[in-house]
Amino acid sequence: MTVGTGAPTFVLALPKGRILRELTPLLTQAGLGPEPDFHDENSRKLRFATSDPKLEIIRVRSFDVATFVAFGAAQLGVAGNDVLLEFDYPEIYAPIDLGIGKCRLAVAEPAEMVGEDDPNRWSHIRVATKYPNVTRAHFAARGVQAECIKLSGAMELAPTLGLSRRIVDLVSTGATLKANNLVEVEHIADVTSRLVVNRTAWKTYPEEIGGWIERLRAAAGAI
Ligand code: PRP
């Protein structure tokens, strides 16, 4: 946040990739259209002005949105509840479900294992995932110990290359699982994108942060 002599400028952290495309109509509706470079994938800029001089946007990886907001480097952000579940930062409050970025977090395994493999008999399993905390908690709830191998992407490669037989990953259309001969065997959570805010920033600037929340809530309701 930049605090000068006038009103402070707030920072909204947005995730790169497909969510960003779904967010564009919402930003436009809220009167927060970003500068043209924001949509240029070749641009090396990371901070972008919007049509409101009191708000700028940063474009970061989805997991990093939570980190920037939790530490107050960005006062606002958009993050999936997959990311919020994984980090469980007490400093983050998620007041609005934006209803975009719909997908699910699921356990998948090679198609040939289905039928031979009874999940009720698992006691210890190895799982490749970007979500070790959620994965361990999901399995621990029924007494299964999950040994997690942390990856940052392309989890679907793990079973074919022998890294782990199972993965926990986001599934949207199911096309990536299918292309890699994997089958979804357990549902962990439904996922959508949420508006998130830093609690301390909200306490410090209740009118301003409250104003951004209401403006984005109204925009989400209007599209
Ligand atoms: C996500 C996820 C899967 C894929 C699922 O990856 O990790 O790989 O989308 O979508 P589908 O069910 O429609 O095929 P994403 O493309 O967001 O990139 P990532 O691998 O960097 O996470």
Side-chain angles (χ1 to χ4, degrees):
M1 182 166 42
T2 313
V3 184
T5 46
T9 299
F10 294 89
V11 177
L12 172 67
L14 299 182
K16 293 176 183 176
R18 64 177 95 177
I19 303 294
L20 208 50
R21 289 188 285 281
E22 285 191 63
L23 271 170
T24 302
L26 180 84
L27 294 174
T28 307
Q29 178 71 30
L32 297 171
E35 61 179 299
D37 264 7
F38 182 73
H39 299 292
D40 176 0
E41 293 193 355
N42 296 320
S43 169
R44 306 304 298 164
K45 281 184 81 164
L46 296 170
R47 298 173 74 147
F48 304 90
T50 71
S51 37
D52 190 317
K54 293 196 285 307
L55 191 86
E56 75 175 338
I57 289 175
I58 59 170
R59 195 173 58 185
V60 297
R61 287 171 191 265
S62 61
F63 275 51
D64 293 342
V65 168
T67 306
F68 275 90
V69 175
F71 286 87
Q75 296 72 45
L76 302 128
V78 171
N81 53 310
D82 54 325
V83 175
L84 302 178
L85 283 170
E86 180 62 18
F87 286 117
D88 198 20
Y89 281 123
E91 264 302 305
I92 293 183
Y93 176 61
I96 308 175
D97 184 343
L98 297 170
I100 60 171
K102 286 184 185 161
C103 57
R104 56 197 181 273
L105 195 57
V107 185
E109 64 183 25
E112 56 271 21
M113 278 175 66
V114 178
E116 294 178 1
D117 182 39
D118 178 1
N120 293 320
R121 301 184 62 181
W122 296 348
S123 63
H124 174 276
I125 58 168
R126 184 186 279 181
V127 184
T129 185
K130 231 170 153 169
Y131 304 90
N133 294 326
V134 174
T135 301
R136 275 192 289 268
H138 170 75
F139 287 109
R142 63 168 201 264
V144 177
Q145 188 191 352
E147 177 196 345
C148 294
I149 299 177
K150 175 95 195 281
L151 292 178
S152 305
M155 260 72 68
E156 294 83 0
L157 284 172
T160 46
L161 295 176
L163 191 57
S164 69
R165 292 201 291 173
R166 298 173 187 90
I167 65 168
V168 165
D169 195 12
L170 295 179
V171 181
S172 176
T173 61
T176 310
L177 289 184
K178 197 164 180 219
N180 290 281
N181 195 33
L182 298 171
V183 174
E184 193 175 336
V185 289
E186 283 184 24
H187 175 274
I188 299 181
D190 287 320
V191 174
T192 49
S193 296
R194 318 292 165 103
L195 177 72
V196 295
V197 300
N198 175 278
R199 289 182 191 274
T200 305
W202 197 5
K203 275 185 211 143
T204 311
Y205 296 98
E207 276 183 32
E208 289 88 343
I209 299 283
W212 292 116
I213 293 171
E214 288 319 313
R215 190 157 156 184
L216 288 158
R217 192 195 302 279
I223 55 174

